């Protein structure tokens, strides 16, 4: 977004002036993450997680490149090459554990980033494209994580590939050919490993490219804020640097402490023990479970146990397997339509009392319950619970959200961002620009 009060980049030396005239990269950085990018002055720590997601992706790319130098994409050598990395490569155990847990931390920060967007209405106009590109990034992350989980070629890797790709065969006409194309045959084998390794190596760079588009789209309307009120004057903003670079730096320190603690002291906390057993096509694990970040979607997939057709006849319109696959994909695809499902003119959940109740006491517990159903065995109790939770999940987005957008009476919005900040920090009334009181930014 072009703010008339934004600082302009001015080269200080003949060398920087020469570079700026021929390759204005310093100007681009200055305008993107420097003092030339004004942002709302009331951003809280939920706005740190976009930067943390970028850091997590960088960790994954760097560690992934190093691991690829030692990995052997062969059904006879993949498992042993992972053991070789862990035991014989200098600091290989650290690189592998950092990559393995980095995927989980990547999903943690992205999930929090998404929930922040859902609560504060970051998907609403004029930021629809920012949200849509974010959903694309999420889909690419899920694909990359699944492909990477197969590469160690342990028991859970092999059978995860067998089960998940098997659901594609439920799609009429094109399902089985699509599954064979993905696997390179009729079952996970050498061709599968070659395909998955190539795609797993490529997709993080695709994600990085889409993130650039995501940031580019964000800079056109500017950052959202907890009030949902648009920037109206210079006093509503502060330069991104040094205020939010310092704030992001603090958040990054907390993130790295947690990441290092898990990597060094509990490296297998988020993994599965069966993946330390070599893949065996003749021995099915007692309980096949995907990684934790897929549990809610896996629960939705398993929730369909009855074919849809005419009762008491053999006529079936849609079998249970296909309905589960469609529901699983729809659970993510519904996010693409969110900007048009929620028609309330108010963005922030702070000023929407009905929305806030359904969000905190409906959607969030529903997703947690779905996660628990995804990790538990498919017994009657957990299947019924998954069916109820899955029904509410779709009802929240397709029925409840459009309905409360029409009948809800929002609370009065502040006149400006500055007004909302000064209401919380009256000591700043004599200093409305906020530049000399950066400490208040963290608590705003």
């Amino acid at each position: 977004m072009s703010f008339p009060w934004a600082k302009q980049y001015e080269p200080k030396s003949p060398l920087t002036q020469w570079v700026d005239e021929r390759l204005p990269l310093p100007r681009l950085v200055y305008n993107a993450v420097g003092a030339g990018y004004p942002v709302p002055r009331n951003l809280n720590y939920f706005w740190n997680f976009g930067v943390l997601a970028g850091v997590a992706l960088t960790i994954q790319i760097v560690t992934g490149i190093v691991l690829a130098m030692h990995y052997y994409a062969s059904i006879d050598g993949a498992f042993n090459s992972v053991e070789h990395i862990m035991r014989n490569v200098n600091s290989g155990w650290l690189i592998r554990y950092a990559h393995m847990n980095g995927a989980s931390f990547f999903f943690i920060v992205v999930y929090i980033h998404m929930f922040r967007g859902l609560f504060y209405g970051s998907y609403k106009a004029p930021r629809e494209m920012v949200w849509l590109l974010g959903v694309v990034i999420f889909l690419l992350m899920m694909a990359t994580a699944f492909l990477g989980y197969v590469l160690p070629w342990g028991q859970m890797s092999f059978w995860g590939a067998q089960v998940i790709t098997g659901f594609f065969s439920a799609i009429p006409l094109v399902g089985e050919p699509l599954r064979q194309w993905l696997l390179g045959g009729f079952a996970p084998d050498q061709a599968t490993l070659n395909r998955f390794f190539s795609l797993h190596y490529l997709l993080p760079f695709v994600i990085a490219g889409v993130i650039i588009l995501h940031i580019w789209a964000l800079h056109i309307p500017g950052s959202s804020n907890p009030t949902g009120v648009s920037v109206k004057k210079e006093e509503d903003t502060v330069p991104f640097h040094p205020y939010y670079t310092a704030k992001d730096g603090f958040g990054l320190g907390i993130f790295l402490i947690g990441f290092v603690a898990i990597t060094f002291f509990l490296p297998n906390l988020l993994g599965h023990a069966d993946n330390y057993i070599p893949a065996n096509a003749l021995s099915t694990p007692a309980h096949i479970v995907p990684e934790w970040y897929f549990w809610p979607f896996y629960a939705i997939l398993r929730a369909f146990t009855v074919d849809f057709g005419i009762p008491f006849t053999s006529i079936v319109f849609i079998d249970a397997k296909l309905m589960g696959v469609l529901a699983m994909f729809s659970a993510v695809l519904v996010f693409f339509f969110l900007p048009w499902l929620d028609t309330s003119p108010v963005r922030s959940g702070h000023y929407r009392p009905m929305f806030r109740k359904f969000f905190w006491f409906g959607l969030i517990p529903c997703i947690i319950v779905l996660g628990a159903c995804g990790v538990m065995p498919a017994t009657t109790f957990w299947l019924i619970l998954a069916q109820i939770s899955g029904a509410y999940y779709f009802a929240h987005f397709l029925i409840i959200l459009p309905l409360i957008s029409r009948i809800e009476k929002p609370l009065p919005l502040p006149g400006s961002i500055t007004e909302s900040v000064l209401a919380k920090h009256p000591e700043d009334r004599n200093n409305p620009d906020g530049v000399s009181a950066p400490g208040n930014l963290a608590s705003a």
Side-chain angles (χ1 to χ4, degrees):
M1 185 174 183
S2 178
F3 295 102
W5 58 83
K7 295 181 180 180
Q8 301 299 316
Y9 176 73
E10 296 180 2
K12 300 297 184 181
S13 67
L15 177 61
T16 56
Q17 183 177 0
W18 182 86
V19 172
D20 183 64
E21 291 173 352
R22 289 157 179 80
L23 183 65
L25 184 60
R27 180 181 297 274
L28 177 65
V29 174
Y30 184 88
N31 292 333
V33 294
Y37 178 44
V39 290
R41 61 183 290 184
N42 62 335
L43 301 188
N44 57 38
Y45 280 107
F46 278 114
W47 267 259
N48 285 43
F49 288 90
V51 172
L52 297 182
V55 172
L57 176 62
T58 303
I59 292 173
Q60 291 304 95
I61 290 177
V62 172
T63 56
I65 290 173
V66 177
L67 290 175
M69 297 175 184
H70 303 278
Y71 177 75
Y72 183 39
S74 165
I75 59 173
D76 298 321
F79 186 87
N80 290 332
S81 71
V82 174
E83 290 299 305
H84 168 71
I85 291 170
M86 293 289 293
R87 299 173 185 274
N88 301 323
V89 176
N90 290 335
S91 300
W93 63 271
L94 176 60
I95 300 297
R96 198 244 170 160
Y97 279 150
H99 191 75
M100 186 173 70
N101 289 288
S104 291
F105 274 79
F106 195 7
F107 273 95
I108 289 172
V109 297
V110 167
Y111 278 137
I112 296 175
H113 191 57
M114 291 174 67
F115 286 138
R116 186 268 291 174
L118 289 171
F119 183 75
Y120 289 109
S122 299
Y123 49 83
K124 294 191 174 187
R127 299 178 180 85
E128 300 97 329
M129 186 55 67
V130 182
W131 176 260
L132 296 179
L133 288 170
V135 178
V136 171
I137 293 170
F138 181 56
L139 286 171
L140 290 172
M141 284 177 57
M142 296 177 75
T144 307
F146 167 67
L147 295 171
Y149 192 56
V150 175
L151 297 185
W153 211 243
Q155 271 289 76
M156 203 56 65
S157 297
F158 175 87
W159 287 101
Q162 179 80 299
V163 171
I164 298 302
T165 58
F167 287 111
F168 284 97
S169 62
I171 302 174
L173 300 178
V174 300
E176 186 57 32
L178 178 61
R179 178 177 181 271
Q180 293 179 22
W181 176 77
L182 286 172
L183 294 178
F186 297 99
D189 208 335
Q190 180 62 54
T192 307
L193 208 53
N194 290 338
R195 282 164 164 75
F196 282 21
F197 178 59
S198 298
L199 291 173
H200 181 70
Y201 193 91
L202 171 67
L203 285 181
F205 298 99
V206 177
I207 292 174
V210 181
I211 286 177
I212 293 173
L213 296 178
H214 184 66
I215 297 173
W216 186 4
L218 172 64
H219 279 63
I220 294 174
S223 297
S224 60
N225 65 88
T227 64
V229 177
S230 300
V231 171
K232 298 178 180 178
K233 51 187 177 180
E234 182 177 0
E235 288 77 12
D236 290 340
T237 65
V238 292
F240 186 86
H241 178 77
Y243 297 106
Y244 286 113
T245 51
K247 193 170 184 178
D248 286 338
F250 176 78
L252 176 61
I254 300 298
F255 168 82
L256 291 178
I257 289 173
F259 175 66
V260 169
I262 293 295
T263 300
F264 277 91
F265 299 108
L266 297 167
N268 294 299
L269 175 67
L270 303 174
H272 200 287
D274 280 3
N275 228 27
Y276 284 97
I277 302 173
N280 185 353
L282 301 178
S283 175
T284 307
H287 182 35
I288 299 174
V289 183
E291 289 286 75
W292 68 266
Y293 34 79
F294 293 138
W295 288 349
F297 306 103
Y298 189 57
I300 292 175
L301 175 70
R302 297 192 310 181
F304 291 85
T305 57
V306 179
D307 297 334
F308 176 72
I310 300 177
F312 309 110
T313 69
S314 60
I315 300 175
V316 176
F317 299 122
I318 307 177
D319 64 23
K321 185 177 179 180
L322 177 57
M323 286 193 294
V325 172
L326 294 176
M328 180 182 66
F329 284 110
S330 298
V332 179
L333 297 179
V334 70
F335 291 130
F336 281 109
F337 303 96
L338 196 54
W340 298 276
L341 291 171
D342 185 0
T343 56
S344 173
V346 177
R347 297 190 183 99
S348 176
H350 282 312
Y351 302 95
R352 302 180 61 187
M354 287 184 64
F355 170 87
R356 189 164 61 244
K357 289 181 176 64
F358 278 104
F359 182 85
W360 290 114
F361 302 108
L363 181 62
I364 300 301
C366 166
I367 294 175
I368 294 174
V369 170
L370 282 173
C373 294
V375 70
M376 298 303 292
T379 59
T380 302
F381 171 78
W382 292 107
L383 286 176
I384 293 175
L385 196 58
Q387 290 164 355
I388 296 172
S389 301
Y392 181 85
Y393 177 89
F394 287 104
H396 178 87
F397 291 109
L398 300 177
I399 300 174
I400 296 173
L401 200 55
L403 185 61
I404 64 176
S405 299
R406 295 176 178 273
I407 66 176
E408 181 181 47
K409 184 179 180 180
L411 300 176
L413 294 173
S416 67
I417 293 173
T418 301
E419 180 182 319
S420 68
V421 172
L422 294 182
K424 295 181 179 179
H425 304 283
E427 68 275 8
D428 286 350
R429 290 189 181 278
N430 294 327
N431 182 31
D433 60 2
V435 172
S436 62
N440 290 330
L441 290 172
S443 58

